[in-house]
Amino acid sequence: MLFTNSAKIETTRLTIRLVAHDDLPALLEVNSNDNVTRHLPFDSWKDMSDAEAWYERAMKRHEAGESWQFVIVLRETNRVIGTCLLFRFEETSQIAEIGYVLGQAYWRGGYMREAMTSFIDYAFNEAGVRRLEAEVDPRNAASCKLLERLGFVKEGVQRENWVSKGEISDSNLYGLLRKEWSVATDAVL
Ligand SMILES: CC(C)(COP(=O)(O)OP(=O)(O)OC[C@H]1O[C@@H](n2cnc3c(N)ncnc32)[C@H](O)[C@@H]1OP(=O)(O)O)[C@@H](O)C(=O)NCCC(=O)NCCS
């Protein structure tokens, strides 16, 4: 078990905690925006039934120990402004993948870098992860830049690795090792 239900990470401006059913209306606002979902592996949510279906899948994956879905709360307003997750955890190799989504109104405020700095710290130091990976559409400049600022190394391009929204695309594979992390945090903070 990587995370307990009480897992909670506090950063300067944000709280990161496991998703709850009450978060769905705020998450509908985030995920109903085509600009937000452009490079995500799901279509924009249309209504609460999409939110409920997503939540049901997330809960099944929690129970199976496959992935942990968190929300990012802006403490000043107590508003859920995004999500992050740890998934594809391989216990033997201690590898996991990260993903993240932020509501468009909050882009470029340094929020995801702040959230990911503490989330990665938690994954490496508390949750038993040794290597973190991220797969990103090369056209997703914001996500590529964020990962590079966090110290991830671009390890290659997986050609025609995705079919999303009817379109074939490559994906950049990024990796970050626990043993590199203290060096990386020194560099980015
Ligand atoms: C990717 C995403 C989470 C970035 O969140 P954010 O809070 O805006 O990012 P930050 O403000 O922390 O910025 C991190 C770095 O990326 C840079 N950046 C952010 N948006 C950028 C953009 N559109 N183009 C180029 N660089 C960008 C920032 O300047 C910053 O670099 P710096 O520290 O050198 O200035 C956000 O754009 C998002 O949610 N996108 C939609 C969902 C998505 O694509 N998720 C990732 C799927 S792989």
Side-chain angles (χ1 to χ4, degrees), residues 69-120:
Q69 181 71 59
F70 292 80
V71 289
I72 300 170
V73 181
L74 181 61
R75 268 205 310 283
E76 192 184 9
T77 56
N78 200 29
R79 186 147 188 91
V80 171
I81 62 169
T83 57
C84 57
L85 87 158
L86 205 64
F87 64 116
R88 288 190 187 149
F89 181 62
E90 289 174 28
E91 198 155 10
T92 313
S93 306
Q94 297 172 282
I95 295 175
E97 191 166 336
I98 54 166
Y100 38 77
V101 179
L102 191 69
Q104 187 172 2
Y106 301 91
W107 288 0
R108 302 210 81 153
Y111 287 116
M112 200 50 88
R113 190 175 136 202
E114 179 176 326
M116 283 303 105
T117 300
S118 294
F119 192 60
I120 291 167

Side-chain angles (χ1 to χ4, degrees), residues 31-80:
N31 286 316
S32 57
N33 180 341
D34 289 344
N35 294 328
V36 169
T37 62
R38 175 159 298 135
H39 300 294
L40 299 180
F42 56 82
D43 291 331
S44 296
W45 296 359
K46 286 178 209 58
D47 50 38
M48 279 301 284
S49 69
D50 289 334
E52 294 282 358
W54 174 89
Y55 184 75
E56 205 174 301
R57 286 197 300 276
M59 288 304 106
K60 278 197 184 128
R61 288 175 186 155
H62 280 190
E63 279 157 30
E66 287 170 6
S67 80
W68 291 265
Q69 181 71 59
F70 292 80
V71 289
I72 300 170
V73 181
L74 181 61
R75 268 205 310 283
E76 192 184 9
T77 56
N78 200 29
R79 186 147 188 91
V80 171

Side-chain angles (χ1 to χ4, degrees), residues 21-32:
H21 191 265
D22 285 354
D23 299 324
L24 293 183
L27 292 181
L28 175 58
E29 204 171 311
V30 171
N31 286 316
S32 57

